[in-house]
Amino acid sequence: MPSVLSPAQIAEYNERGFVIARGMFSPAEMDLLTRAMEEDPAVRGHVLDRLDGEGRSTRISLWNRAGDSVYGLAARCARMVDTSETLLGGAVYHYQSKLTAKEPAVGGAWEWHQDYGYWYYNGCLRPDMLSCMIALDRTTRENGCLQIVEGSHRLGRIDHTPLTQGQNEVDPKRMTHILARHPIAYCELEAGDVLIFHCNAIHRSDANRSDKRRWTLLICYNRVDNDTITRDDDRYYVPLDKVDDAAILRAGLAFSRSDQEHFASKPYVPRLPTAAE
């Protein structure tokens, strides 16, 4: 199956560092994926709290393999794999998936960062990586939608500094100059939309101060020939068994079995030197 993106959308991704595929998942598929995130004991049993600078918490659950669960099949389905391979220019494998749950009124913020600012330390030599954020709920400015600095993927990997025990951020001094030259896009989504963004695209999200929750499912891919040079965790290359798009509905509400997904017990946050060091 070819990419779900048009040539104009592919050009937009290359220019801006992100693109939105509207309605990439049907309402029936979204019902299954949302229920899985809410009800699967493995997802619920591995939820972690990630604090922001104000002590607010975003609840996350992380896993590194795409198994036979309905969310594993979503990561393996042709529309996701083929689109990612088109944008990255080569065969891909599933790098990681993550539920991010910003609850009403208490969901925390994420400060400016690059995903490759973390993944570089996992041993990925090149930024041939991307993330697909599937909106489980309507995401708006009010409930903390993702903000992306347009064109920032062309700036290369930027040094990050520690913010909290669970977050690193782009060097704030450099960020001031970046924001003076690049506009910010607020990526508002409806359930079933997918925001696809480059691993060097600088992004953040505000705290959820609204009365509406903001849950998203992020599925990340790495090019096969960019396999990690380290084996400190299990995000190294494992062949991806692509399935047809109808596999999601055929599976129904399929949960994790025997921890096929390799759930993480803690988030990966590389230790970076502080200013005092």
Side-chain angles (χ1 to χ4, degrees):
M1 176 182 176
S3 166
V4 302
L5 302 176
S6 68
Q9 287 177 307
I10 294 171
E12 180 181 359
Y13 172 86
N14 290 329
E15 177 66 24
R16 302 176 77 193
F18 69 95
V19 68
I20 298 173
R22 300 289 183 187
M24 191 168 173
F25 288 88
S26 71
E29 291 170 329
M30 290 311 304
D31 178 66
L32 293 173
L33 289 172
T34 301
R35 288 185 60 193
M37 294 298 98
E38 294 171 340
E39 301 174 23
D40 188 336
V43 175
R44 293 170 60 88
H46 290 88
V47 167
L48 308 165
D49 285 322
R50 201 132 186 199
L51 299 178
D52 65 14
E54 296 180 352
R56 291 173 176 266
S57 173
T58 297
R59 297 167 59 237
I60 65 172
S61 188
L62 296 146
W63 55 97
N64 299 331
R65 296 283 187 268
D68 295 323
S69 62
V70 66
Y71 46 91
L73 295 173
R76 293 162 50 198
C77 72
R79 80 192 84 153
M80 290 279 281
V81 175
D82 293 347
T83 299
S84 297
E85 291 185 339
T86 296
L87 293 176
L88 291 177
V92 302
Y93 72 95
H94 174 264
Y95 187 68
Q96 72 171 27
S97 289
K98 175 172 65 174
L99 166 69
T100 61
K102 288 177 180 276
E103 302 300 347
V106 298
W110 292 76
E111 298 307 327
W112 293 117
H113 68 281
Q114 299 170 309
D115 289 337
Y116 193 53
Y118 290 77
W119 296 343
Y120 172 86
Y121 292 96
N122 290 122
C124 300
L125 294 180
R126 304 190 310 272
D128 290 334
M129 313 172 77
L130 57 73
S131 296
C132 300
M133 173 184 277
I134 305 170
L136 302 175
D137 303 312
R138 189 166 187 260
T139 75
T140 65
R141 293 192 188 205
E142 290 71 31
N143 67 6
C145 71
L146 207 70
Q147 304 168 34
I148 297 182
V149 180
E150 296 193 28
S152 56
H153 65 304
R154 296 182 173 181
L155 300 177
R157 183 179 68 88
I158 301 171
D159 286 342
H160 286 53
T161 60
L163 175 67
T164 69
Q165 186 175 3
Q167 284 195 49
N168 295 330
E169 64 175 337
V170 169
D171 177 3
K173 294 180 180 179
R174 195 173 191 89
M175 197 67 217
T176 299
H177 297 285
I178 292 170
L179 292 176
R181 300 186 184 191
H182 293 264
I184 298 171
Y186 288 80
C187 301
E188 296 187 305
L189 308 171
E190 299 293 335
D193 292 346
V194 180
L195 169 63
I196 307 170
F197 57 99
H198 190 282
C199 68
N200 267 340
I202 301 173
H203 57 285
R204 72 176 302 277
S205 61
D206 287 329
N208 182 3
R209 304 179 190 275
S210 78
D211 61 354
K212 306 292 184 183
R213 77 175 196 181
R214 196 224 76 174
W215 284 29
T216 62
L217 170 60
L218 285 106
I219 299 173
C220 309
Y221 297 93
N222 187 18
R223 258 180 55 162
V224 171
D225 60 4
N226 192 40
D227 186 19
T228 63
I229 60 172
T230 63
R231 292 294 187 268
D232 296 334
D233 60 29
D234 58 0
R235 284 182 279 186
Y236 51 82
Y237 168 67
V238 171
L240 189 155
D241 182 14
K242 185 171 70 173
V243 297
D244 66 89
D245 285 334
I248 297 171
L249 292 180
R250 283 200 307 268
L253 192 60
F255 291 164
S256 173
R257 294 181 299 173
S258 303
D259 193 23
Q260 288 181 329
E261 285 74 18
H262 292 204
F263 282 87
S265 60
K266 61 181 180 179
Y268 178 79
V269 184
R271 185 185 181 280
L272 303 176
T274 64
E277 297 175 315

